[in-house]
Amino acid sequence: MRHRDAPTILNCVILPTLLLRLSVMMLRRGLLAWLSRVGVLLVVICCCLSLLYVITCSPYTDVPTAGQHLPRAGGIGIAGGPSHPGGVGGSPIGPASREGFQALLQEREDQHRQHIASLKKQIAQLKEALQERSEQLKGMQNSLEKMVEKGTGGDVADDHNHTNLQEFLRSQLSRAEVHTGIRLPSEYAVVPFESFTLQRVYQLEMGLTRHPEEKPVRKDRKDELGEVVESALHSLNAQNQGGDKTKASKVYTPSDFIEGIARTEKDKGTLYELTFHGEQKQEFRRLVLFRPFGPLIKVKSELVETANMPINIVVPLSQRADKFRQFMHNFREVCVKQDGRVHLTVVYFGKDQMNEVKGTLENTSRELNFHNFTLIQLNEEFSRGRGLDVGARAWKRGNVLLFFCDVDIFFTADFLNTCRLNAQPGKKVFYPVLFSQYNPAVIYGSYDHIPPVEQQLIIKKDTGFWRDFGFGMTCQYRSDFINIAPIKMNGE
């Protein structure tokens, strides 16, 4: 039974295997045929698309096909030409159209050439008029400068209008506070000066507290001050060219400009005072210019020699020995080492901490061989006005420039020169506007992060404010102070 049943089992196993192989072969042949058909179809579609793209985007030729003009999508339309479907409205660019374009371009080019020729002619006429007007103004300015230097009136030209203009400008100059001062009804009638440099303008109109400086400077203001500085440089260099030819003269440039002050009286004009570095280290040139709502005229040019201008710094003090040590640290660096033309007068009230203050002065004298100081002790209650009066009157060596200072004031050597340049005996006193710093511990977070004083000199709203309401610091000559305070100053 086993031998008879064995072939039956083998046949059953082999038959399904053959059927499976046959099915797989048929499936493979059908799949390959389907894939080949799909590939042929894709190739045909790509060829059709390529042919359509070539037909649609083919450029025009000068020779039309089959004697007809075929419209083209996106064609160029010519004004007045017929409109065709499929185009923007225009005929194809043939030989006739190309000639029309060339004629149109030639016409436009001729029009532009005529316009350019007209503009050149107008520019030439304007240059001639400007040159003529500049010569007239230059002649008028020279006449006015001669008249101001001579101090005499009279006609300088035969032309009546020219004479009237000169009379008006001279009257504006005489009415303004240039040569002599004028009597004012009160302190509120004083017109303050604004300080400026080549980059900044420190204006008082909007208040220095909220607006420390005009930044950025308005274009009209910048042009005005630039013209003034340029006119001053031209005047300085013209003086040097007219002097001694054998001596080499300095050529002044904008880098020599230090600072200037200006103020405008609405019914008279604008007065400018500009300061430049001179030929020597301690020489300066000051120019006074006045614009009487007309041509800018030079009023005065003078050499300012500051080598023999000592400053007597008067400091009233009571206790505060630690602040005085900080003050003397800055005094040693600025006044002793850099400037060297400063006398210090300390008026001390009381006896408490007197020995510490005296020891600080003696250490400075011994270490730097500095003896230009005076220590005055008063057994009275502290009075700043009393201390300033005593310190000013203690000087017995002629007229000296005084700087009334407090012990917590930080200043530089440039400020001392500014003090010398802006104070004149019998004519001008200088009241600097101070910048008061906030508490450094608040600004920098804690006392451990406070940088040195030199690195704290940053002027912005976050670090302090301008004291444009205070007039405690002043630079003035002793003669002026004595004349306005004949007896004594009351305490503050």
Side-chain angles (χ1 to χ4, degrees):
M1 294 207 39
R2 291 179 180 175
H3 297 283
R4 294 181 64 180
D5 294 341
T8 304
I9 295 173
L10 180 63
N11 293 336
C12 293
V13 173
I14 294 174
L15 183 61
T17 303
L18 292 174
L19 291 174
L20 180 62
R21 289 180 179 180
L22 181 61
S23 299
V24 170
M25 290 176 64
M26 294 177 66
L27 182 62
R28 286 181 178 178
R29 291 179 181 178
L31 182 62
L32 291 174
W34 183 80
L35 289 176
S36 62
R37 291 174 184 175
V38 171
V40 171
L41 182 60
L42 290 176
V43 171
V44 172
I45 292 174
C46 291
C47 292
C48 293
L49 291 176
S50 301
L51 181 61
L52 180 62
Y53 175 79
V54 170
I55 295 173
T56 304
C57 301
S58 61
Y60 273 109
T61 59
D62 293 339
V63 181
T65 305
Q68 294 182 353
H69 296 297
L70 298 178
R72 178 166 65 98
I76 303 175
I78 302 177
S83 177
H84 296 272
V88 182
S91 302
I93 304 177
S97 300
R98 180 170 297 179
E99 293 177 359
F101 269 116
Q102 291 179 353
L104 180 60
L105 291 176
Q106 184 66 31
E107 182 181 356
R108 293 290 178 86
E109 185 177 356
D110 294 339
Q111 292 178 358
H112 285 304
R113 287 179 179 176
Q114 293 177 1
H115 184 62
I116 292 173
S118 176
L119 290 178
K120 288 183 177 180
K121 184 177 180 181
Q122 294 179 15
I123 292 174
Q125 293 175 353
L126 290 175
K127 284 184 177 180
E128 292 179 359
L130 181 61
Q131 182 68 23
E132 182 180 357
R133 191 64 58 88
S134 300
E135 292 177 358
Q136 292 178 359
L137 291 177
K138 186 175 180 180
M140 188 184 306
Q141 180 177 352
N142 293 335
S143 301
L144 288 174
E145 290 178 358
K146 292 179 180 178
M147 183 172 52
V148 170
E149 292 176 358
K150 294 179 181 179
T152 58
D155 297 336
V156 261
D158 296 333
D159 186 74
H160 182 67
N161 294 331
H162 192 188
T163 303
N164 291 340
L165 178 60
Q166 289 184 350
E167 289 291 341
F168 170 75
L169 296 178
R170 190 175 72 254
S171 65
Q172 293 289 88
L173 180 60
S174 61
R175 290 175 55 221
E177 193 175 352
V178 178
H179 293 296
T180 58
I182 59 176
R183 185 176 296 276
L184 301 175
S186 66
E187 66 272 18
Y188 300 105
V190 175
V191 180
F193 281 91
E194 295 180 352
S195 176
F196 64 92
T197 63
L198 291 177
Q199 292 83 20
R200 293 179 174 84
V201 176
Y202 300 94
Q203 47 86 26
L204 296 174
E205 183 178 358
M206 302 299 294
L208 287 174
T209 302
R210 296 183 58 85
H211 304 275
E213 59 184 1
E214 187 176 346
K215 185 180 180 181
V217 182
R218 300 193 320 265
K219 184 179 183 304
D220 57 342
R221 183 69 165 161
K222 188 174 182 180
D223 294 342
E224 172 200 352
L225 298 178
E227 178 195 359
V228 172
V229 174
E230 184 179 354
S231 178
L233 291 172
H234 177 74
S235 177
L236 288 173
N237 292 324
Q239 290 179 2
N240 292 339
Q241 293 176 2
D244 188 4
K245 302 296 183 180
T246 60
K247 182 181 178 181
S249 300
K250 176 180 179 178
V251 177
Y252 289 89
T253 62
S255 60
D256 296 317
F257 176 64
I258 302 175
E259 65 176 354
I261 57 176
R263 69 174 180 179
T264 300
E265 298 180 74
K266 294 180 173 59
D267 58 339
K268 300 177 183 66
T270 305
L271 177 66
Y272 307 91
E273 293 189 16
L274 289 82
T275 304
F276 295 84
H277 287 292
E279 298 184 7
Q280 304 298 328
K281 181 179 179 180
Q282 298 176 353
E283 283 187 358
F284 301 90
R285 295 301 301 264
R286 179 193 292 126
L287 269 79
V288 180
L289 304 175
F290 182 66
R291 189 196 302 273
F293 296 124
L296 188 67
I297 60 175
K298 184 182 72 175
V299 178
K300 181 172 56 176
S301 176
E302 61 181 355
L303 177 66
V304 181
E305 177 60 59
T306 62
N308 298 321
M309 285 187 184
I311 297 179
N312 183 12
I313 300 179
V314 181
V315 180
L317 183 63
S318 177
Q319 300 180 355
R320 306 185 70 181
D322 53 342
K323 287 290 184 180
F324 185 71
R325 282 192 294 270
Q326 296 179 5
F327 175 84
M328 288 303 299
H329 175 73
N330 182 56
F331 183 88
R332 291 157 61 109
E333 296 296 324
V334 174
C335 301
V336 180
K337 296 182 179 180
Q338 298 181 28
D339 192 89
R341 295 163 290 164
V342 176
H343 184 93
L344 177 63
T345 300
V346 180
V347 182
Y348 195 85
F349 290 82
K351 298 181 180 179
D352 190 14
Q353 300 184 8
M354 173 64 183
N355 292 332
E356 299 179 22
V357 172
K358 185 177 180 180
T360 302
L361 288 173
E362 291 176 350
N363 289 337
T364 302
S365 175
R366 182 172 54 257
E367 294 174 3
L368 301 179
N369 194 24
F370 176 75
H371 304 285
N372 293 332
F373 69 91
T374 302
L375 178 61
I376 303 174
Q377 182 183 7
L378 299 178
N379 293 323
E380 304 175 8
E381 184 180 355
F382 177 78
S383 170
R384 185 176 186 273
R386 168 69 172 161
L388 297 177
D389 183 67
V390 171
R393 296 178 184 276
W395 182 271
K396 302 298 182 182
R397 289 178 280 177
N399 201 12
V400 68
L401 180 60
L402 302 174
F403 172 38
F404 294 157
C405 184
D406 288 342
V407 72
D408 55 355
I409 299 297
F410 183 90
F411 54 88
T412 63
D414 291 335
F415 169 78
L416 296 178
N417 282 328
T418 301
C419 185
R420 293 183 177 98
L421 294 170
N422 289 282
Q424 291 180 336
K427 187 174 183 179
K428 284 198 306 185
V429 297
F430 178 53
Y431 287 89
V433 180
L434 305 181
F435 187 81
S436 183
Q437 289 185 319
Y438 297 136
N439 188 347
V442 177
I443 297 175
Y444 300 100
S446 66
Y447 286 101
D448 298 333
H449 299 87
I450 298 177
V453 178
E454 292 78 6
Q455 300 180 13
Q456 300 180 32
L457 302 180
I458 302 175
I459 298 177
K460 59 181 183 179
K461 295 180 181 179
D462 297 336
T463 60
F465 61 96
W466 288 99
R467 288 185 173 270
D468 53 352
F469 49 83
F471 301 93
M473 308 299 114
T474 176
C475 295
Q476 57 183 288
Y477 277 84
R478 182 179 181 274
S479 58
D480 295 330
F481 176 79
I482 297 299
N483 290 334
I484 63 173
I487 302 177
K488 66 177 181 179
M489 293 182 64
N490 295 324
E492 296 182 356

PDB file of all heavy atoms in Angstrom, residues 384-410:
ATOM      1  N   ARG A 384      29.187 130.024  51.786  1.00  0.00           N
ATOM      2  CA  ARG A 384      29.902 129.986  50.514  1.00  0.00           C
ATOM      3  C   ARG A 384      30.182 131.392  49.999  1.00  0.00           C
ATOM      4  O   ARG A 384      31.276 131.690  49.501  1.00  0.00           O
ATOM      5  CB  ARG A 384      29.090 129.205  49.475  1.00  0.00           C
ATOM      6  CG  ARG A 384      29.833 129.004  48.146  1.00  0.00           C
ATOM      7  CD  ARG A 384      29.027 128.135  47.200  1.00  0.00           C
ATOM      8  NE  ARG A 384      29.789 127.833  45.997  1.00  0.00           N
ATOM      9  CZ  ARG A 384      29.833 128.605  44.914  1.00  0.00           C
ATOM     10  NH1 ARG A 384      29.116 129.739  44.884  1.00  0.00           N
ATOM     11  NH2 ARG A 384      30.564 128.269  43.859  1.00  0.00           N
ATOM     12  N   GLY A 385      29.201 132.283  50.086  1.00  0.00           N
ATOM     13  CA  GLY A 385      29.420 133.652  49.623  1.00  0.00           C
ATOM     14  C   GLY A 385      30.518 134.357  50.398  1.00  0.00           C
ATOM     15  O   GLY A 385      31.356 135.055  49.809  1.00  0.00           O
ATOM     16  N   ARG A 386      30.543 134.141  51.698  1.00  0.00           N
ATOM     17  CA  ARG A 386      31.592 134.727  52.533  1.00  0.00           C
ATOM     18  C   ARG A 386      32.962 134.165  52.152  1.00  0.00           C
ATOM     19  O   ARG A 386      33.957 134.899  52.053  1.00  0.00           O
ATOM     20  CB  ARG A 386      31.279 134.426  53.996  1.00  0.00           C
ATOM     21  CG  ARG A 386      32.398 134.717  54.991  1.00  0.00           C
ATOM     22  CD  ARG A 386      32.674 136.177  55.148  1.00  0.00           C
ATOM     23  NE  ARG A 386      33.613 136.404  56.228  1.00  0.00           N
ATOM     24  CZ  ARG A 386      34.319 137.509  56.382  1.00  0.00           C
ATOM     25  NH1 ARG A 386      34.193 138.508  55.510  1.00  0.00           N
ATOM     26  NH2 ARG A 386      35.133 137.650  57.406  1.00  0.00           N
ATOM     27  N   GLY A 387      33.042 132.857  51.896  1.00  0.00           N
ATOM     28  CA  GLY A 387      34.311 132.253  51.519  1.00  0.00           C
ATOM     29  C   GLY A 387      34.821 132.767  50.177  1.00  0.00           C
ATOM     30  O   GLY A 387      36.027 133.025  50.018  1.00  0.00           O
ATOM     31  N   LEU A 388      33.934 132.924  49.196  1.00  0.00           N
ATOM     32  CA  LEU A 388      34.356 133.454  47.901  1.00  0.00           C
ATOM     33  C   LEU A 388      34.853 134.884  48.025  1.00  0.00           C
ATOM     34  O   LEU A 388      35.845 135.277  47.393  1.00  0.00           O
ATOM     35  CB  LEU A 388      33.193 133.366  46.903  1.00  0.00           C
ATOM     36  CG  LEU A 388      32.682 131.958  46.565  1.00  0.00           C
ATOM     37  CD1 LEU A 388      31.491 132.044  45.622  1.00  0.00           C
ATOM     38  CD2 LEU A 388      33.791 131.114  45.950  1.00  0.00           C
ATOM     39  N   ASP A 389      34.167 135.673  48.824  1.00  0.00           N
ATOM     40  CA  ASP A 389      34.571 137.072  48.996  1.00  0.00           C
ATOM     41  C   ASP A 389      35.950 137.160  49.661  1.00  0.00           C
ATOM     42  O   ASP A 389      36.817 137.931  49.221  1.00  0.00           O
ATOM     43  CB  ASP A 389      33.521 137.801  49.829  1.00  0.00           C
ATOM     44  CG  ASP A 389      33.837 139.285  49.982  1.00  0.00           C
ATOM     45  OD1 ASP A 389      33.778 140.003  48.956  1.00  0.00           O
ATOM     46  OD2 ASP A 389      34.158 139.716  51.102  1.00  0.00           O
ATOM     47  N   VAL A 390      36.165 136.364  50.717  1.00  0.00           N
ATOM     48  CA  VAL A 390      37.459 136.390  51.411  1.00  0.00           C
ATOM     49  C   VAL A 390      38.564 135.880  50.488  1.00  0.00           C
ATOM     50  O   VAL A 390      39.669 136.441  50.422  1.00  0.00           O
ATOM     51  CB  VAL A 390      37.385 135.546  52.699  1.00  0.00           C
ATOM     52  CG1 VAL A 390      38.768 135.381  53.318  1.00  0.00           C
ATOM     53  CG2 VAL A 390      36.441 136.194  53.696  1.00  0.00           C
ATOM     54  N   GLY A 391      38.292 134.811  49.745  1.00  0.00           N
ATOM     55  CA  GLY A 391      39.307 134.269  48.850  1.00  0.00           C
ATOM     56  C   GLY A 391      39.675 135.214  47.720  1.00  0.00           C
ATOM     57  O   GLY A 391      40.850 135.318  47.339  1.00  0.00           O
ATOM     58  N   ALA A 392      38.691 135.937  47.177  1.00  0.00           N
ATOM     59  CA  ALA A 392      38.984 136.883  46.097  1.00  0.00           C
ATOM     60  C   ALA A 392      39.780 138.070  46.606  1.00  0.00           C
ATOM     61  O   ALA A 392      40.714 138.546  45.936  1.00  0.00           O
ATOM     62  CB  ALA A 392      37.679 137.344  45.452  1.00  0.00           C
ATOM     63  N   ARG A 393      39.450 138.576  47.780  1.00  0.00           N
ATOM     64  CA  ARG A 393      40.144 139.757  48.315  1.00  0.00           C
ATOM     65  C   ARG A 393      41.518 139.412  48.873  1.00  0.00           C
ATOM     66  O   ARG A 393      42.349 140.315  49.076  1.00  0.00           O
ATOM     67  CB  ARG A 393      39.287 140.420  49.395  1.00  0.00           C
ATOM     68  CG  ARG A 393      37.975 140.977  48.862  1.00  0.00           C
ATOM     69  CD  ARG A 393      37.119 141.590  49.969  1.00  0.00           C
ATOM     70  NE  ARG A 393      35.838 142.024  49.448  1.00  0.00           N
ATOM     71  CZ  ARG A 393      35.609 143.189  48.845  1.00  0.00           C
ATOM     72  NH1 ARG A 393      36.597 144.057  48.694  1.00  0.00           N
ATOM     73  NH2 ARG A 393      34.399 143.497  48.410  1.00  0.00           N
ATOM     74  N   ALA A 394      41.784 138.123  49.123  1.00  0.00           N
ATOM     75  CA  ALA A 394      43.095 137.751  49.668  1.00  0.00           C
ATOM     76  C   ALA A 394      44.195 137.869  48.621  1.00  0.00           C
ATOM     77  O   ALA A 394      45.382 137.922  48.971  1.00  0.00           O
ATOM     78  CB  ALA A 394      43.037 136.325  50.213  1.00  0.00           C
ATOM     79  N   TRP A 395      43.852 137.904  47.352  1.00  0.00           N
ATOM     80  CA  TRP A 395      44.858 138.043  46.289  1.00  0.00           C
ATOM     81  C   TRP A 395      45.314 139.494  46.213  1.00  0.00           C
ATOM     82  O   TRP A 395      44.503 140.405  46.031  1.00  0.00           O
ATOM     83  CB  TRP A 395      44.265 137.604  44.953  1.00  0.00           C
ATOM     84  CG  TRP A 395      45.222 137.665  43.807  1.00  0.00           C
ATOM     85  CD1 TRP A 395      45.441 138.735  42.996  1.00  0.00           C
ATOM     86  CD2 TRP A 395      46.092 136.639  43.352  1.00  0.00           C
ATOM     87  NE1 TRP A 395      46.388 138.447  42.061  1.00  0.00           N
ATOM     88  CE2 TRP A 395      46.816 137.156  42.247  1.00  0.00           C
ATOM     89  CE3 TRP A 395      46.342 135.335  43.754  1.00  0.00           C
ATOM     90  CZ2 TRP A 395      47.753 136.394  41.545  1.00  0.00           C
ATOM     91  CZ3 TRP A 395      47.267 134.589  43.054  1.00  0.00           C
ATOM     92  CH2 TRP A 395      47.969 135.118  41.976  1.00  0.00           C
ATOM     93  N   LYS A 396      46.610 139.723  46.292  1.00  0.00           N
ATOM     94  CA  LYS A 396      47.149 141.084  46.337  1.00  0.00           C
ATOM     95  C   LYS A 396      48.148 141.347  45.219  1.00  0.00           C
ATOM     96  O   LYS A 396      48.882 142.333  45.275  1.00  0.00           O
ATOM     97  CB  LYS A 396      47.849 141.321  47.681  1.00  0.00           C
ATOM     98  CG  LYS A 396      46.962 141.114  48.898  1.00  0.00           C
ATOM     99  CD  LYS A 396      45.776 142.074  48.924  1.00  0.00           C
ATOM    100  CE  LYS A 396      44.936 141.872  50.183  1.00  0.00           C
ATOM    101  NZ  LYS A 396      43.757 142.769  50.202  1.00  0.00           N
ATOM    102  N   ARG A 397      48.168 140.509  44.191  1.00  0.00           N
ATOM    103  CA  ARG A 397      49.165 140.675  43.133  1.00  0.00           C
ATOM    104  C   ARG A 397      48.531 141.108  41.817  1.00  0.00           C
ATOM    105  O   ARG A 397      48.769 140.530  40.767  1.00  0.00           O
ATOM    106  CB  ARG A 397      49.936 139.361  42.946  1.00  0.00           C
ATOM    107  CG  ARG A 397      50.878 139.059  44.098  1.00  0.00           C
ATOM    108  CD  ARG A 397      51.573 137.726  43.899  1.00  0.00           C
ATOM    109  NE  ARG A 397      50.728 136.601  44.264  1.00  0.00           N
ATOM    110  CZ  ARG A 397      51.081 135.330  44.123  1.00  0.00           C
ATOM    111  NH1 ARG A 397      52.255 135.017  43.584  1.00  0.00           N
ATOM    112  NH2 ARG A 397      50.269 134.362  44.484  1.00  0.00           N
ATOM    113  N   GLY A 398      47.716 142.135  41.876  1.00  0.00           N
ATOM    114  CA  GLY A 398      47.133 142.690  40.658  1.00  0.00           C
ATOM    115  C   GLY A 398      45.844 141.994  40.267  1.00  0.00           C
ATOM    116  O   GLY A 398      45.270 141.178  41.008  1.00  0.00           O
ATOM    117  N   ASN A 399      45.367 142.325  39.088  1.00  0.00           N
ATOM    118  CA  ASN A 399      44.119 141.769  38.592  1.00  0.00           C
ATOM    119  C   ASN A 399      44.348 140.330  38.120  1.00  0.00           C
ATOM    120  O   ASN A 399      45.253 140.054  37.338  1.00  0.00           O
ATOM    121  CB  ASN A 399      43.579 142.624  37.443  1.00  0.00           C
ATOM    122  CG  ASN A 399      42.094 142.423  37.238  1.00  0.00           C
ATOM    123  OD1 ASN A 399      41.421 141.823  38.067  1.00  0.00           O
ATOM    124  ND2 ASN A 399      41.576 142.927  36.137  1.00  0.00           N
ATOM    125  N   VAL A 400      43.535 139.415  38.586  1.00  0.00           N
ATOM    126  CA  VAL A 400      43.695 138.004  38.259  1.00  0.00           C
ATOM    127  C   VAL A 400      42.337 137.439  37.883  1.00  0.00           C
ATOM    128  O   VAL A 400      41.289 137.920  38.313  1.00  0.00           O
ATOM    129  CB  VAL A 400      44.302 137.224  39.452  1.00  0.00           C
ATOM    130  CG1 VAL A 400      43.320 137.150  40.604  1.00  0.00           C
ATOM    131  CG2 VAL A 400      44.749 135.834  39.019  1.00  0.00           C
ATOM    132  N   LEU A 401      42.374 136.402  37.063  1.00  0.00           N
ATOM    133  CA  LEU A 401      41.146 135.709  36.685  1.00  0.00           C
ATOM    134  C   LEU A 401      40.769 134.735  37.793  1.00  0.00           C
ATOM    135  O   LEU A 401      41.554 133.865  38.164  1.00  0.00           O
ATOM    136  CB  LEU A 401      41.351 134.967  35.365  1.00  0.00           C
ATOM    137  CG  LEU A 401      40.159 134.183  34.819  1.00  0.00           C
ATOM    138  CD1 LEU A 401      38.962 135.093  34.568  1.00  0.00           C
ATOM    139  CD2 LEU A 401      40.547 133.448  33.537  1.00  0.00           C
ATOM    140  N   LEU A 402      39.559 134.872  38.303  1.00  0.00           N
ATOM    141  CA  LEU A 402      39.065 134.031  39.383  1.00  0.00           C
ATOM    142  C   LEU A 402      38.153 132.944  38.831  1.00  0.00           C
ATOM    143  O   LEU A 402      37.354 133.186  37.922  1.00  0.00           O
ATOM    144  CB  LEU A 402      38.285 134.864  40.411  1.00  0.00           C
ATOM    145  CG  LEU A 402      39.019 136.029  41.081  1.00  0.00           C
ATOM    146  CD1 LEU A 402      38.054 136.822  41.943  1.00  0.00           C
ATOM    147  CD2 LEU A 402      40.182 135.511  41.923  1.00  0.00           C
ATOM    148  N   PHE A 403      38.280 131.762  39.411  1.00  0.00           N
ATOM    149  CA  PHE A 403      37.348 130.674  39.128  1.00  0.00           C
ATOM    150  C   PHE A 403      36.765 130.213  40.449  1.00  0.00           C
ATOM    151  O   PHE A 403      37.436 129.606  41.270  1.00  0.00           O
ATOM    152  CB  PHE A 403      38.053 129.522  38.408  1.00  0.00           C
ATOM    153  CG  PHE A 403      37.190 128.293  38.249  1.00  0.00           C
ATOM    154  CD1 PHE A 403      35.835 128.389  37.970  1.00  0.00           C
ATOM    155  CD2 PHE A 403      37.742 127.021  38.378  1.00  0.00           C
ATOM    156  CE1 PHE A 403      35.043 127.262  37.836  1.00  0.00           C
ATOM    157  CE2 PHE A 403      36.965 125.882  38.237  1.00  0.00           C
ATOM    158  CZ  PHE A 403      35.606 126.009  37.972  1.00  0.00           C
ATOM    159  N   PHE A 404      35.501 130.542  40.680  1.00  0.00           N
ATOM    160  CA  PHE A 404      34.809 130.135  41.894  1.00  0.00           C
ATOM    161  C   PHE A 404      34.349 128.694  41.714  1.00  0.00           C
ATOM    162  O   PHE A 404      33.500 128.399  40.868  1.00  0.00           O
ATOM    163  CB  PHE A 404      33.620 131.045  42.175  1.00  0.00           C
ATOM    164  CG  PHE A 404      34.024 132.463  42.513  1.00  0.00           C
ATOM    165  CD1 PHE A 404      33.141 133.520  42.343  1.00  0.00           C
ATOM    166  CD2 PHE A 404      35.289 132.748  43.001  1.00  0.00           C
ATOM    167  CE1 PHE A 404      33.494 134.809  42.663  1.00  0.00           C
ATOM    168  CE2 PHE A 404      35.661 134.046  43.322  1.00  0.00           C
ATOM    169  CZ  PHE A 404      34.762 135.079  43.154  1.00  0.00           C
ATOM    170  N   CYS A 405      34.900 127.811  42.537  1.00  0.00           N
ATOM    171  CA  CYS A 405      34.700 126.380  42.337  1.00  0.00           C
ATOM    172  C   CYS A 405      34.273 125.733  43.648  1.00  0.00           C
ATOM    173  O   CYS A 405      34.565 126.244  44.735  1.00  0.00           O
ATOM    174  CB  CYS A 405      35.999 125.739  41.817  1.00  0.00           C
ATOM    175  SG  CYS A 405      35.874 123.997  41.420  1.00  0.00           S
ATOM    176  N   ASP A 406      33.579 124.595  43.529  1.00  0.00           N
ATOM    177  CA  ASP A 406      33.224 123.784  44.683  1.00  0.00           C
ATOM    178  C   ASP A 406      34.119 122.554  44.737  1.00  0.00           C
ATOM    179  O   ASP A 406      34.755 122.178  43.742  1.00  0.00           O
ATOM    180  CB  ASP A 406      31.758 123.355  44.622  1.00  0.00           C
ATOM    181  CG  ASP A 406      30.816 124.525  44.903  1.00  0.00           C
ATOM    182  OD1 ASP A 406      31.284 125.537  45.473  1.00  0.00           O
ATOM    183  OD2 ASP A 406      29.625 124.443  44.533  1.00  0.00           O
ATOM    184  N   VAL A 407      34.128 121.894  45.892  1.00  0.00           N
ATOM    185  CA  VAL A 407      35.051 120.797  46.101  1.00  0.00           C
ATOM    186  C   VAL A 407      34.634 119.541  45.334  1.00  0.00           C
ATOM    187  O   VAL A 407      35.456 118.640  45.116  1.00  0.00           O
ATOM    188  CB  VAL A 407      35.166 120.496  47.612  1.00  0.00           C
ATOM    189  CG1 VAL A 407      33.882 119.837  48.129  1.00  0.00           C
ATOM    190  CG2 VAL A 407      36.377 119.631  47.932  1.00  0.00           C
ATOM    191  N   ASP A 408      33.383 119.461  44.894  1.00  0.00           N
ATOM    192  CA  ASP A 408      32.920 118.265  44.183  1.00  0.00           C
ATOM    193  C   ASP A 408      32.832 118.492  42.673  1.00  0.00           C
ATOM    194  O   ASP A 408      32.119 117.768  41.982  1.00  0.00           O
ATOM    195  CB  ASP A 408      31.559 117.823  44.721  1.00  0.00           C
ATOM    196  CG  ASP A 408      30.521 118.937  44.666  1.00  0.00           C
ATOM    197  OD1 ASP A 408      30.882 120.071  44.302  1.00  0.00           O
ATOM    198  OD2 ASP A 408      29.347 118.668  44.985  1.00  0.00           O
ATOM    199  N   ILE A 409      33.566 119.469  42.154  1.00  0.00           N
ATOM    200  CA  ILE A 409      33.565 119.778  40.725  1.00  0.00           C
ATOM    201  C   ILE A 409      34.764 119.104  40.063  1.00  0.00           C
ATOM    202  O   ILE A 409      35.889 119.186  40.558  1.00  0.00           O
ATOM    203  CB  ILE A 409      33.602 121.302  40.481  1.00  0.00           C
ATOM    204  CG1 ILE A 409      32.360 121.949  41.093  1.00  0.00           C
ATOM    205  CG2 ILE A 409      33.696 121.612  39.004  1.00  0.00           C
ATOM    206  CD1 ILE A 409      31.061 121.483  40.471  1.00  0.00           C
ATOM    207  N   PHE A 410      34.510 118.447  38.941  1.00  0.00           N
ATOM    208  CA  PHE A 410      35.571 117.830  38.134  1.00  0.00           C
ATOM    209  C   PHE A 410      35.704 118.639  36.842  1.00  0.00           C
ATOM    210  O   PHE A 410      34.727 118.833  36.124  1.00  0.00           O
ATOM    211  CB  PHE A 410      35.225 116.369  37.814  1.00  0.00           C
ATOM    212  CG  PHE A 410      36.292 115.641  37.055  1.00  0.00           C
ATOM    213  CD1 PHE A 410      37.283 114.950  37.726  1.00  0.00           C
ATOM    214  CD2 PHE A 410      36.316 115.658  35.665  1.00  0.00           C
ATOM    215  CE1 PHE A 410      38.277 114.279  37.020  1.00  0.00           C
ATOM    216  CE2 PHE A 410      37.293 114.990  34.963  1.00  0.00           C
ATOM    217  CZ  PHE A 410      38.286 114.301  35.644  1.00  0.00           C
TER     218      PHE A 410
END
